[in-house]
Amino acid sequence: MINAAIVGTGNIAPAHIQGLLTFPERCRIVALCDIYPEKAEAMKKKYNLDCEIFDDHKRMLESGLKIDVVHVCTPPYVHAEIAINSMNSGCNVVVEKPMATCLAECDEMLEAEKKNGVTMACIAQNRFRNSIYKMKKVVDSGLCGKICCAHINSFWWRGHPYYDLWWRGLWEKEGGGPTLNHAVHHIDMLNWIKGELPAEVSAMLTNVMHDNSEVEDLSTAQLRYGDGSLADVISSVVHHGEEQGVTLQCANAKISAPWSVVAEVSRPNGFPIDGGNKELVDKIREYYDSLPDLKYKYHTGEIDDILTALETGSRPMITGRDGRMTVELITAIYKSGCRHEYVKLPLSSDDEYYTFEGILKGAVHFNKKTSSVENFDDGKITLGSSY
């Protein structure tokens, strides 16, 4: 039986609790921790948990309570501290997105994992969407050919009050806007599907709708890979309808999530024939449809994978290396957008943007946050489109 603790009982914690409760024969929740202990108490009551409550993660780790894995569900600026302290106490960790605010923190976390012989997993639950999981399988099959151009639409909408919460909209606390905290999902998908980072990044940042936030609420980035292929990433909390999606224009066909497939075939003069390449489209669809649906999806699917890794001594699907890769691309987007320059990857440890202090020093402050609230009365959140 794996004993789990959750640090941070805010908006995303229920997804972790529900995922863990799906497997009562494999794990149990033994502790909830929050700097607002009344929130942890309310969560305990809501889910009828038999667990201890703490208001400080260090006190939790020093309590003598047997904890096998700590789920870090706090604001990003304390992810590294809590994860490292937990690993130094001999606990495995599951870190919510983004893994950390900078590459230096990511590397410190990876070093703690190695030093203590524990396992660190990073949440990227969208790999456990059927459409994304199957898209990756289709790409790997080679049926579509080389990816020539990828379009990543991380479209979200958040009203003005969203950034009233005390830690949101501050570079020092949130680490950035939707590029870091929302598009992190889609950037992880892109890195996973492509299997590599781009060689070069160009980006623009702006804030067009949230004057109570220092950070961007919209960014666009263009990526160039070593093989000459391109990708564009739009990160937004100003898009009505939240029509998120991934489109891959490959040499032989276009595939998208939400799922669709189109393939052209050429006339002798290079123009496409009417009706396209029906034979290839049917073959790709047949392969896609032959793939079994995932047994568990989203956070529950990833938690199942993490529990299996801890039970068998294997590696989880989404490791700290994956989390770092995503943070590196996001950091390059911020560096390019703040400096108005092309940025080459990988970023070195002597790059100013390698550290959080360097990111803060170079960050563009679009507005000044002058007021805030500690907590919202309405705890309902949305987790994006269901493609």
Side-chain angles (χ1 to χ4, degrees):
M1 182 67 70
I2 294 171
N3 289 349
I6 297 173
V7 181
T9 55
N11 289 340
I12 202 61
H16 289 253
I17 292 173
Q18 292 161 15
L20 290 165
L21 292 179
T22 303
F23 309 103
E25 74 288 352
R26 302 167 69 189
C27 63
R28 61 188 173 195
I29 299 169
V30 298
L32 296 177
C33 178
D34 200 291
I35 60 173
Y36 300 104
E38 64 275 12
K39 291 175 63 178
E41 289 284 1
M43 198 74 72
K44 175 181 177 179
K45 182 178 179 180
K46 178 179 179 180
Y47 290 98
N48 193 29
L49 301 176
D50 179 16
C51 67
E52 295 191 33
I53 301 296
F54 297 90
D55 63 1
D56 182 274
H57 80 279
K58 291 181 180 177
R59 277 197 284 272
M60 180 188 77
L61 294 171
E62 295 167 356
S63 68
L65 184 66
K66 184 180 183 300
I67 299 172
D68 298 304
V69 59
V70 175
H71 290 238
V72 182
C73 301
T74 59
Y77 75 103
V78 287
H79 280 185
E81 176 190 0
I82 296 169
I84 291 169
N85 288 340
S86 298
M87 288 187 282
N88 286 342
S89 297
C91 300
N92 304 291
V93 296
V94 178
V95 185
E96 255 298 339
K97 59 79 183 172
M99 177 178 172
T101 59
C102 67
L103 290 172
E105 290 179 349
C106 291
D107 287 342
E108 290 168 5
M109 295 162 75
L110 288 167
E111 180 57 32
E113 179 188 33
K114 180 180 178 181
K115 180 183 72 174
N116 293 291
V118 295
T119 296
M120 176 170 57
C122 293
I123 292 294
Q125 78 273 11
N126 286 282
R127 293 197 198 183
F128 292 86
R129 287 181 185 262
N130 278 319
S131 58
I132 300 303
Y133 150 77
K134 292 183 179 184
M135 174 183 273
K136 168 67 171 170
K137 291 284 190 181
V138 171
V139 169
D140 290 347
S141 75
L143 288 170
C144 299
K146 167 191 169 180
I147 298 174
C148 301
C149 184
H151 303 280
I152 310 299
N153 294 333
S154 187
F155 295 164
W156 307 73
W157 188 90
R158 294 294 181 265
H160 194 270
Y162 178 78
Y163 284 107
D164 288 343
L165 195 61
W166 64 273
W167 57 269
R168 285 198 189 126
L170 297 172
W171 283 102
E172 186 180 5
K173 302 297 185 186
E174 197 176 13
T179 313
L180 178 69
N181 295 292
H182 293 77
V184 59
H185 297 293
H186 293 85
I187 290 171
D188 172 78
M189 292 180 211
L190 176 63
N191 286 343
W192 182 46
I193 291 168
K194 285 285 291 182
E196 61 178 343
L197 286 170
E200 190 174 45
V201 173
S202 174
M204 297 182 72
L205 313 172
T206 190
N207 184 310
V208 293
M209 204 180 89
H210 300 87
D211 62 8
N212 56 341
S213 167
E214 297 177 349
V215 301
E216 89 287 353
D217 61 12
L218 175 65
S219 74
T220 65
Q222 292 70 48
L223 321 178
R224 183 191 301 275
Y225 290 83
D227 63 359
S229 60
L230 300 176
D232 61 72
V233 179
I234 301 177
S235 312
S236 170
V237 286
V238 305
H239 274 66
H240 295 271
E242 298 193 319
E243 295 166 335
Q244 301 155 20
V246 177
T247 298
L248 305 177
Q249 293 286 358
C250 304
N252 302 332
K254 181 203 83 171
I255 55 174
S256 303
W259 174 246
S260 70
V261 54
V262 177
E264 308 290 1
V265 64
S266 179
R267 297 176 185 273
N269 66 356
F271 285 77
I273 69 168
D274 296 338
N277 191 339
K278 187 177 184 302
E279 181 180 353
L280 178 57
V281 167
D282 289 344
K283 190 172 183 179
I284 293 171
R285 282 178 177 160
E286 182 179 350
Y287 179 75
Y288 183 94
D289 291 340
S290 73
L291 297 168
D293 286 345
L294 294 165
K295 185 177 181 180
Y296 302 107
K297 296 190 293 182
Y298 310 113
H299 278 80
T300 301
E302 185 165 358
I303 286 170
D304 174 44
D305 174 75
I306 293 165
L307 292 174
T308 299
L310 296 179
E311 290 161 347
T312 62
S314 57
R315 296 293 289 162
M317 178 181 180
I318 305 163
T319 66
R321 292 289 175 190
D322 296 300
R324 186 193 190 281
M325 189 175 178
T326 299
V327 171
E328 183 162 15
L329 181 46
I330 291 168
T331 301
I333 292 171
Y334 278 138
K335 180 178 179 181
S336 176
C338 291
R339 288 191 171 184
H340 305 286
E341 66 183 31
Y342 285 93
V343 172
K344 294 188 180 298
L345 290 167
L347 297 174
S348 66
S349 59
D350 59 1
D351 191 293
E352 182 180 15
Y353 280 70
Y354 176 77
T355 67
F356 193 38
E357 293 76 13
I359 292 173
L360 293 178
K361 180 180 177 182
V364 175
H365 289 64
F366 293 98
N367 301 291
K368 185 175 182 180
K369 185 166 181 169
T370 57
S371 63
S372 64
V373 297
E374 279 198 323
N375 289 297
F376 291 127
D377 293 332
D378 182 1
K380 185 177 180 180
I381 67 168
T382 57
L383 297 176
S385 58
S386 58
Y387 58 84

